[in-house]
Structure formats: structure tokens, C-alpha cells
Amino acid sequence: MTRIVYVNGRYLPYGEAAVHVEDRGFQFGDAIYEVCEVIGGRLIDEPRHMARLERSLNELQIPQPMAPRALAHVMRQVIKRNRVRDGLVYLQVSRGAAPRDFYFPGPDVLPTVVCLARPMSRAVPAANALKGIAIKSMPDIRWQRCDIKTVMLLPACLAKEAARADGAKEAWFVDGDGFVTEGASSNAWIVAEDGTLVTRQLGSAILPGVTRTTLLDVLHEEGMVPVERPFRLNEAYAAREAFITSATQTVMPVVRIDGNTVGDGRPGPIAQRLRNKFHQFAAISGT
Ligand code: PLP
């Protein structure tokens, strides 16, 4: 079956789907995106992803490319046309294509919208969650607006590649003061030595992860009170548990950080419980 990709109003075969060579997403990283988990053909936490997309557009003064309902329709079509049951949908909006110039183009230039969907077996993250993953830390060399979900992901690519070379699945970025900001493509959490659940507070240093927000709902329901504050690597090395959150991993236990064993080296009970509960609390929208 040919994969189908949505580009600016058209549903095209994968091999024919393309954007202009002067697209600002390509030349300047002048674009934002969302990744939404799909389970059983249904979207997980769609309203929160769409709200964040709108916020990212507003922060960068990229015009809303179409009404939210139309965008939602596109995502559903792409999922349907690709017959994705379990997987993800990727939606990217750039400021559009115009002769290369740092200044924003005029209002006649319309944003570029690309949407694609990809099947992904749930068995792979499930198997990883049984063992837990390793983390490698590295300096956070990203810009100072990490709260916007832009496609400027080169630091994340470099970090992930370095992590992989070290046998780790994710990188944790560390700011100039020695505090963990977040993962290359996830938010970072620990259960500290004293049992407190800790994750960094929102701000321009981290992405406001949708999974992070939904997990806060789970915690509230569980009667658990997380502390939102920065934590250092030493605290993470000595933690009882650690885990990451993201749309494609949900809650993924961490068992090693920079070669240090976390807890007893097995996924912690809190991370496992939260992982199992997560989808009971996420919003699930039909297609
Ligand atoms: N932080 C960064 C830098 C990310 O790239 C991501 C997801 O890609 C996250 C956090 C987690 O966000 P979400 O839970 O919305 O997937």
C-alpha cells in the first residue's frame, strides 16, 4: 500500500509529496510541529496537542494555516488513508515558501502544511518499558525558547546520536547551572531519595510536554503531589526511580544514567504504575 501524505491541500503518494526548495522550514527551521500518538486509529490527547500547536504558531507569528476543525480533519484523513491503527501522526506548519530573506514574507505567502502518519508497533516501547532505558547527559546547547515546538532539532539529533553511541536510548540536557532541563525528545522525571516525585517546572527551558500535562492529571487522581523544580544529575543518580514522558513513549522507566544504576536497576514501581494508568486519563478522539 502506498503511503499518503498531505501537503498544502493535496493528498499525495509518499514519493511525490514535496515542498518548495525555498520553504522557510527548510532554509531557516522556521516551522513548528506536533506528534500525536495513535492507538486503534484514534488520536491520543488531540485537544492538548492542537492547543500547543496554536500556541507555537502564535509565539512565532506564523498565521494559523486553517481552522482547527480543518486541521483535525486532515489528521484524520491521513490516519485513515494510511490505515494506521497504532502509530503516530506528524503535523508540521512552516511560515511558507518565499525568496530567501531573514525578514518574514508578506501576508500573501501562506504557511506550508504537511501531515503524515506512520504505523508503529506498540510492542517495541512495551518491551523497552519492561527493561527500562539508559540515559546519557550532555550540555544543553539549545536556544532560549525551548517552550516552542519548532523543527530546529539539530541539538536533539546530535544528543540522540551521542547517546546511541554510548548505548543509551535518550539524552538528558543539563543547563549552565548543572540542572537537568529535559530529554532530547521527552520530559525528565525522578523519584528522589526521599520519595518526592520531581520534574522541572515549566518555563522557556523546556517543552510543555502534553504527556507531562496528562501525567499531572494522573498524579492528581492518584493523590500524588509532584514537586516542579529543577534537579541536578547527582540527585538523579541517587534517585529511587527515574523516567521520561513523551507522546510516543508515554511513561518510559529509566534504569541507568551516565552509567550509574538508578534504584535497583529495574523499572521502578511508580513509573510502571503511571505507565499502566496513563491511557485511562488521556483524551481519546475517534477518527
Ligand atoms: N521535550 C522535548 C524536547 C520534546 O521534543 C518532546 C516531544 O517530542 C517532549 C519534551 C515531550 O512532549 P510530548 O509529551 O508532548 O510528546
Side-chain angles (χ1 to χ4, degrees):
M1 195 187 89
T2 315
R3 278 181 73 192
I4 299 295
V5 180
Y6 173 91
V7 186
N8 289 335
R10 298 164 74 198
Y11 295 92
L12 298 165
Y14 190 73
E16 290 168 32
V19 296
H20 198 279
V21 288
E22 294 220 271
D23 193 274
R24 291 180 62 95
F26 177 54
Q27 290 183 333
F28 296 112
D30 190 358
I32 57 98
Y33 74 107
E34 279 298 325
V35 176
C36 208
E37 187 187 21
V38 178
I39 297 183
R42 304 202 295 171
L43 285 155
I44 305 301
D45 272 335
E46 180 190 17
R48 281 182 171 151
H49 283 284
M50 297 319 279
R52 186 173 63 188
L53 180 100
E54 200 172 320
R55 176 181 184 273
S56 297
L57 291 171
N58 286 339
E59 289 297 317
L60 298 179
Q61 299 165 53
I62 297 175
Q64 180 84 31
M66 57 179 96
R69 279 187 61 173
L71 268 184
H73 176 73
V74 166
M75 288 201 295
R76 282 163 176 71
Q77 279 297 311
V78 171
I79 291 168
K80 274 200 180 123
R81 289 177 190 230
N82 289 283
R83 295 192 200 138
V84 171
R85 300 299 300 160
D86 298 334
L88 59 84
V89 60
Y90 175 90
L91 181 61
Q92 179 176 328
V93 182
S94 86
R95 199 181 303 276
R100 187 176 182 281
D101 192 355
F102 288 92
Y103 300 114
F104 294 173
D108 51 317
V109 172
L110 300 177
T112 300
V113 182
V114 171
C115 184
L116 41 87
R118 183 206 289 176
M120 259 177 28
S121 163
R122 297 185 72 201
V124 175
N128 286 337
L130 287 178
K131 292 180 297 178
I133 62 161
I135 298 285
K136 179 181 170 63
S137 70
M138 58 198 74
D140 196 339
I141 58 168
R142 303 173 303 163
W143 75 329
Q144 292 175 17
R145 287 305 308 272
C146 292
D147 56 313
I148 308 171
K149 196 164 171 69
T150 80
V151 300
M152 298 191 300
L153 293 172
L154 189 53
C157 295
L158 295 172
K160 291 252 193 203
E161 198 55 44
R164 182 165 68 172
D166 253 24
K169 277 236 155 35
E170 175 63 310
W172 276 7
F173 288 127
V174 179
D175 69 16
D177 297 320
F179 292 105
V180 173
T181 51
E182 62 181 333
S185 63
S186 59
N187 289 111
W189 301 70
I190 57 168
V191 180
E193 261 183 309
D194 66 359
T196 325
L197 187 53
V198 183
T199 194
R200 190 174 175 118
Q201 75 281 8
L202 295 184
S204 57
I206 68 166
L207 187 77
V210 166
T211 319
R212 177 190 183 282
T213 308
T214 299
L215 194 67
L216 292 176
D217 291 347
V218 182
L219 295 172
H220 184 75
E221 194 63 28
E222 289 268 293
M224 292 176 72
V225 185
V227 178
E228 295 180 61
R229 64 160 173 84
F231 60 87
R232 291 181 190 277
L233 280 173
N234 276 340
E235 206 179 347
Y237 299 155
R240 290 186 193 176
E241 292 187 35
F243 59 90
I244 57 170
T245 53
S246 79
T248 51
Q249 310 282 314
T250 58
V251 178
M252 180 60 66
V254 168
V255 293
R256 231 172 51 242
I257 305 171
D258 296 335
N260 301 284
T261 301
V262 177
D264 64 3
R266 286 177 301 186
I270 293 178
Q272 285 177 307
R273 192 168 79 243
L274 296 175
R275 181 178 176 84
N276 292 337
K277 289 232 156 163
F278 184 81
H279 287 113
Q280 293 170 29
F281 288 84
I284 302 181
S285 326
T287 52

